[in-house]
Amino acid sequence: MPNSVTPTHCPYCALQCGMNLTPAPDGTVEVSERADFPVNRGALCGKGRTAPAVLSSRVRLTSPLVRSGGTLVPASWDEALDRIAEGLSRTRTEHGPDACGVFGGGGLTNEKAYTLGKFARVVLGTSQIDYNGRFCMSSAAAGGMKAFGLDRGLPFPLEDIPKSGCVILVGSNLAETMPPSLRFFTELKENGGTLIVVDPRRTKTAEQADLHLMPRPGTDLALALGLLHLVVAEGRTDEAYIGERTVGWEDARAAAMAHWPEYVERITGVPVPQLRETVRMFCEPESAMVLTARGPEQQSKGTDTVSAWINLCLATGRAGRPYSGYGCLTGQGNGQGGREHGQKADQLPGYRKLDDPAARAHVAEVWGVDPDSLPGPGRSAYELLDALGSDIKSLLLMGSNPVVSAPRAAHIEERIKSLDFLAVCDVVLSETAALADVVLPVTQWAEETGTTTNLEGRVLLRRQAITPPDGIRSDLDVLHGLADRLGVEKGFPTDSEEVFEELRRASAGGPADYSGITYRRLAEENGVFWPCPTPGKDVPAGDHDVHPGTPRLFLERFAHPDGRARFVPVSHRAIAEEPDAEYPVLLTTGRVVAQYQSGAQTRRVDELNAAAPGPFVELHPRLAERLGAAEGDPVAVVSRRGRAVAPARITLGIRPDTVFMPFHWYGEGRANTLTNPALDPTSRMPEFKACAVRLETVER
Ligand code: SF4
């Protein structure tokens, strides 16, 4: 077993920072700088630095648990796996395969996501599989597919950012969510470029900006349309580019021209002079980028909002050119790879579509099954969770904690409790695992080998550095054991490289083609960008006997058959739940630097808890005064879905009509008790970022 320095990657966010791990004599693991990885050049945030603490956490699960007499008690692996197989089997027999649900996570490695999708479709025969990555990037993915014919979060490496002339960062607080990435923006400014941040809060990221726009939450679509209107009015479009490389300009132009700057100011609250200054800063340099994150994407019009920002790039010739383009800053560790290989409701591996007969035939051949046996597309994440206990009777859940992270979380918690059977694989007893009939303790990142794909589309090898504790198995072992018990003896290997070899074949020829990538290459190179096909007669291999990978997309052509990008005409519309007399304030939610997602791992790290011990309600002094609340006073935030209580944090750095809550915690301060599950019609993304609430003081 490895006992020296192992170069690998952080278990948390989509930056996938490189780090070295060294086992210490006392059984713990030391993290040290790994300067050769270009994304972080050795820098790590507090989450990455302290990640090994979860490996040896005293609350780590070390034995399977089964529910007996209402209590979870230790059990053998055979007993636990038998119980899960029986639970799923009974549901399938009594209610049909679609009564079995599978829910995955954007933190699972490519191999696990691939195997989970295959398990659902081949072993259970269910269409009901989706994953929490739906809550992360699905609107950007949908917008990217419409415009470019392909979705890869960033179509260029992060290293291109400092060479651009201007970056508009929309709804991203990367100074807190992925701090090592901030240096790319610092270098951008040192090189003479400018940074514009769009955020209703004056975040640590916004403090770095040359210009900070503070729109009302849920109005990013109108903002982008207003900017495009000004681009046209000021004659700043790139007509040659539009003519040569795009389709659909006239309709998009007409839609934008209905959004006068003064009208946009009324909707967004962003003054017209700031709109004009943004257009000037964006259009004057030779190159410019727009990068979006959860702010504009986690809306019930997230896809249209992304389309509006892409339209701005296309109209100004700022896509598919050096140091220019639109990109999405994916959040979860394997948010990119997790959406490519089949755990999403409508997908097959290689970013193929489940309703495409040719895709079904290709993947079915790799899997050795009849294409007609593969179910069709299933429900999206929120719809799947909402169907628990009614249409879906049993659930296998891997790498997710929806009791904290799903919108309208108290309702989802009740749906989960109403299941006939729930099995959860996790490293600790998360709030969701605590509701399960069977809990399986699984290996963590440093205890297993597998691949992830970071926000740049760079496929990476996470290497095993230590031996897992006794009593713990990998998710691949779990799926192998369940498949075997459910009558499928072959096709579910436990070795991740063996799974990856099959994934290569399954992805070959698909949009996210990994067939030219091997573990050997990943060990020798600092990641390989997809698409990376196997060299053949149509694939330029250059001096290599392998394809070099594709760090930069769209420089020659976009991925639509005619090589042209598509404008998508979109218009402003309101959020699903506007403030009114009863609920007069807007709530927006987000993250803090010391916690990650639902906090299942980071809330187990003392150092991180000391830095971010619990939720809070951030509000403007004017709002606090109206409420009669002082700093630290408990404040109740009430929406149509429930009530959450947390201490007031009063700051001038937020709009007076808006409050902010981070969503990492359970209990009375659970922000997702309040959030609105109104879904985007295309991406099925819930509207996490804007809903109507009222505030109340709380007697303590
Ligand atoms: Fe890990 Fe993300 Fe922090 Fe890097 S920025 S150390 S990948 S959590």
Side-chain angles (χ1 to χ4, degrees), residues 10 12-17 19 43-45 47-49 177-180:
C10 176
Y12 296 122
C13 84
L15 216 50
Q16 285 296 285
C17 292
M19 58 169 62
L44 296 169
C45 78
K47 297 186 287 284
R49 254 190 315 99
T177 53
M178 37 185 70

Side-chain angles (χ1 to χ4, degrees), residues 326-399:
Y326 163 80
C328 152
L329 296 165
T330 299
Q332 289 180 286
N334 196 30
Q336 180 69 51
R339 74 212 210 209
E340 297 165 0
H341 297 299
Q343 64 177 331
K344 194 157 170 266
D346 58 350
Q347 262 175 19
L348 287 170
Y351 225 134
R352 288 183 159 92
K353 299 294 284 182
L354 197 45
D355 56 6
D356 172 1
R360 294 170 67 88
H362 172 84
V363 175
E365 189 185 353
V366 173
W367 288 353
V369 300
D370 181 348
D372 291 338
S373 71
L374 296 176
R379 291 177 173 87
S380 73
Y382 180 78
E383 292 164 296
L384 190 157
L385 294 171
D386 192 35
L388 299 181
S390 52
D391 291 351
I392 299 173
K393 307 291 185 190
S394 291
L395 183 71
L396 172 65
L397 188 142
M398 202 170 259

